[in-house]
Amino acid sequence: MSNKLTTYKCKKCGRVMYPRHDRCLKCKGREFDEVEMPLPATGKLLTFTQLFALPWGFDQRFLTIGVVEFKNGVKAMGQLKTPDVKVGMRLKASWEPVRVTAGEKVYGLRFEPA
Ligand SMILES: [Zn+2]
């Protein structure tokens, strides 16, 4: 499966974002270049939360969701593979199945301690 993440770099100010936004979060620019970020990649955990009421399709009883900042400035949300995490720790991001919907695997970012 995909071993890279498509990020979006503002043509005006150079800010890199994921996922794509209509307008740049920094300068409100509307034009972006697609930049492939190779995975797995490591980043720093900025914040996380645990969800206990999960939609149908998840096998887990609860999920830990975190926001990780990568070296290129991208902040991306994804599932943490372990609930045993601390803000500021380094995590490795991979592109993996996160759940099954209507018999099909849905892929997303998953993080584990680096
Ligand atoms: Zn911009």
Side-chain angles (χ1 to χ4, degrees), residues 35-104:
V35 179
E36 306 285 7
M37 185 170 94
L39 292 175
T42 53
K44 190 178 75 174
L45 183 62
L46 294 183
T47 182
F48 67 95
T49 187
Q50 288 187 325
L51 305 178
F52 292 94
L54 300 182
W56 193 84
F58 286 92
D59 290 336
Q60 304 93 321
R61 263 183 300 166
F62 67 93
L63 273 185
T64 307
I65 300 289
V67 177
V68 168
E69 180 171 25
F70 296 99
K71 268 184 264 174
N72 58 6
V74 168
K75 292 173 189 164
M77 191 181 282
Q79 273 186 26
L80 293 157
K81 291 186 190 178
T82 165
D84 190 19
V85 291
K86 278 190 194 136
V87 167
M89 78 185 292
R90 301 206 55 84
L91 296 169
K92 186 176 84 171
S94 306
W95 190 255
E96 296 179 355
V98 289
R99 62 191 163 95
V100 176
T101 298
E104 294 205 18

Side-chain angles (χ1 to χ4, degrees), residues 10 12-15 24 26-29:
C10 176
K12 240 164 122 181
C13 74
R15 168 138 183 184
C24 174
K26 194 172 163 191
C27 76
K28 308 265 195 275

